[in-house]
Amino acid sequence: MTNNTFSANLGYACGFYPSIAYVCRRIGINRQQFNKYLAGTVRPSRYNMRRISDFFGVTEAELLSEPKGFTELFSLRRMPKPAHQDDIVVPSYQRLSRLSASLDRYCGSYFRYFYSFSNPGYVMRSFARLERKDEVYLWKNIEREINPDTGTAEIAKYEGVALFLGERINIMEYETLLASSITQMILYPSYQAGIDYLLGLQTGGPIKRGRMPAASRVVLQYLGENVDTRRALRECGLMCPEDVAPRIAGLLDNRVSADSWVFEVEQQ
């Protein structure tokens, strides 16, 4: 295997994304260093090779295979599923939707807080909205992160659905561009006259730091129905824990007690 083989496969995989800069930001590798990989002048370290492989959803051996075989493999994995498969999935979702209680009182905008999976030690505050369309509750979430090298804002968008089952609010979302990252939230409902915070647990995985599954506490802060979206987005991004409101920071504590065997979140 030559560097040219690896660089050809890497270049082909990058062609499925908006730009090389986008791939570098997502993986968390310096653009100048990544360009050397693409040119075949430098081989990635084992650590960076693992990060690159995880991002593209391939094994290291596949990424180092002959270009002809790699292009066939990579293209095949991204082919759309046959339309008839929708006939299998839709009835299951429709049944759950019929069993779901109303989420009308929860419709509106939220700030979402959680410890970032990709940026250890930082809290992510994103902007989310729940709205009803016909009989379906649609969820949208936008994460905004400032690139430390350029100072520009990088945006990640998520979409999904919400169901109210078993006295729990269940939300499943996916990252719209890559469609390779799925997050699930399970939240306690609010029994107060007005909604302030929704507390629960979310599972997912970092985009920049490999494919390791992760779980954390999550807090939704209700903002209301009519919100200035642009202003709210300007307030989003990574935050130091000490800059988060004390009550929210306390609810985000991910420590597990010594007598616990699973990660649980108690209702507040």
Side-chain angles (χ1 to χ4, degrees):
M1 196 282 300
T2 65
N3 283 359
N4 288 337
T5 299
F6 167 71
S7 63
N9 291 341
L10 183 63
Y12 181 78
C14 288
F16 285 79
Y17 298 89
S19 66
I20 300 299
Y22 176 88
V23 173
C24 292
R25 290 195 300 266
R26 285 302 206 184
I27 300 177
I29 293 180
N30 179 274
R31 173 67 183 274
Q32 185 177 3
Q33 184 70 17
F34 198 81
N35 283 342
K36 295 178 182 179
Y37 303 157
L38 289 171
T41 58
V42 173
R43 282 283 300 278
S45 65
R46 291 297 299 273
Y47 175 69
N48 280 348
M49 181 68 82
R50 191 178 306 115
R51 294 164 72 188
I52 293 170
S53 300
D54 287 346
F55 174 77
F56 289 117
V58 297
T59 66
E60 183 175 335
E62 289 169 342
L63 196 54
L64 299 177
S65 63
E66 287 301 316
K68 184 176 184 299
F70 179 80
T71 56
E72 293 175 354
L73 173 87
F74 201 76
S75 300
L76 184 62
R77 289 183 180 176
R78 277 152 179 76
M79 287 179 62
K81 297 293 190 301
H84 70 81
Q85 290 194 6
D86 292 342
D87 299 335
I88 302 173
V89 177
V90 170
S92 297
Y93 174 76
Q94 289 177 335
R95 180 172 183 270
L96 290 176
S97 184
R98 288 194 297 268
L99 294 172
S100 174
S102 173
L103 283 167
D104 286 353
R105 75 183 298 258
Y106 298 98
C107 289
S109 298
Y110 295 84
F111 277 143
R112 174 180 178 181
Y113 296 85
F114 60 94
Y115 273 96
S116 171
F117 294 164
S118 296
N119 302 275
Y122 288 90
V123 173
M124 170 61 75
R125 176 163 65 187
S126 63
F127 178 74
R129 184 164 181 82
L130 179 66
E131 57 187 22
R132 177 179 175 179
K133 185 174 182 181
D134 297 327
E135 300 302 317
V136 178
Y137 292 95
L138 300 177
W139 170 263
K140 293 185 178 182
N141 178 57
I142 301 176
E143 293 181 2
R144 178 177 178 270
E145 185 176 339
I146 302 298
N147 185 312
D149 297 325
T150 64
T152 59
E154 300 170 1
I155 301 294
K157 298 181 179 180
Y158 298 78
E159 294 182 357
V161 294
L163 297 164
F164 195 176
L165 299 168
E167 282 300 303
R168 291 179 293 269
I169 300 171
N170 300 268
I171 299 174
M172 186 173 71
E173 65 179 10
Y174 70 96
E175 204 272 337
T176 58
L177 183 59
L178 301 181
S180 62
S181 174
I182 294 178
T183 304
Q184 182 186 11
M185 287 190 292
I186 304 176
L187 305 161
Y188 287 109
S190 173
Y191 297 106
Q192 301 177 1
I195 302 171
D196 52 2
Y197 299 104
L198 299 177
L199 173 65
L201 184 70
Q202 69 178 19
T203 60
I207 294 178
K208 295 181 180 178
R209 298 175 56 245
R211 64 181 73 178
M212 185 182 297
S216 73
R217 287 179 168 85
V218 59
V219 175
L220 299 186
Q221 178 186 7
Y222 186 66
L223 303 177
E225 279 282 359
N226 300 313
V227 174
D228 185 335
T229 302
R230 290 187 178 181
R231 179 178 178 181
L233 283 173
R234 287 196 296 269
E235 298 181 28
C236 292
L238 291 173
M239 308 173 65
C240 294
E242 55 268 25
D243 295 330
V244 179
R247 181 183 178 188
I248 296 176
L251 294 174
L252 292 177
D253 189 347
N254 284 322
R255 284 177 293 184
V256 180
S257 60
D259 59 348
S260 294
W261 295 95
V262 296
F263 190 28
E264 299 174 316
V265 176
E266 294 185 5
Q267 189 170 10
Q268 301 295 312

